[in-house]
Amino acid sequence: MKPPLTVLAMLLLLGAAVFSAQRWGRAAGRAACAAQLVDMQGELRRQKQALAVMREEGARRTARVLQAQATAQAAQVDAQAAAARLLALRPEGDACRAAEALIASEMP
């Protein structure tokens, strides 16, 4: 028993449609994947730039902190030296006169 020619033609057309749909789906999937890859590369580039900016800001802040620390240490050394001079100039018993003597000795 032979199937009618129209049934064979329909099956052939159905097979061609399925084949075309598979190829179109594969091509569309590849295009979508490529578009997603481009988007992800752009996002990665933006994140790298943001990270570089944050690193630069961190380096600037570190430099400012180190400078402030050095200034504070220098002020501490100066204060300790002034205290040592005050103690060295202090006459017996009167700290006020010793402070006046230190101030007078450092005035131009």
Side-chain angles (χ1 to χ4, degrees):
M1 197 189 269
K2 288 186 177 180
L5 193 56
T6 54
V7 173
L8 287 175
M10 287 174 148
L11 287 174
L12 183 63
L13 284 173
L14 180 63
V18 168
F19 178 75
S20 296
Q22 285 177 341
R23 289 188 68 119
W24 178 81
R26 200 174 305 131
R30 285 182 183 153
C33 183
Q36 239 179 358
L37 181 63
V38 167
D39 288 344
M40 288 296 112
Q41 286 173 337
E43 181 64 26
L44 180 61
R45 194 170 24 258
R46 285 187 293 278
Q47 288 177 356
K48 283 173 120 177
Q49 289 171 347
L51 182 58
V53 167
M54 285 189 269
R55 281 184 181 147
E56 289 172 9
E57 180 62 23
R60 281 192 294 272
R61 287 183 181 185
T62 298
R64 276 185 271 162
V65 165
L66 291 174
Q67 185 179 11
Q69 183 181 14
T71 302
Q73 286 173 343
Q76 181 182 11
V77 167
D78 289 344
Q80 288 172 345
R85 287 191 303 272
L86 180 63
L87 290 173
L89 292 176
R90 187 171 89 184
E92 293 300 317
D94 193 359
C96 289
R97 276 192 241 159
E100 288 173 359
L102 176 63
I103 293 170
S105 70
E106 292 190 0
M107 294 281 256

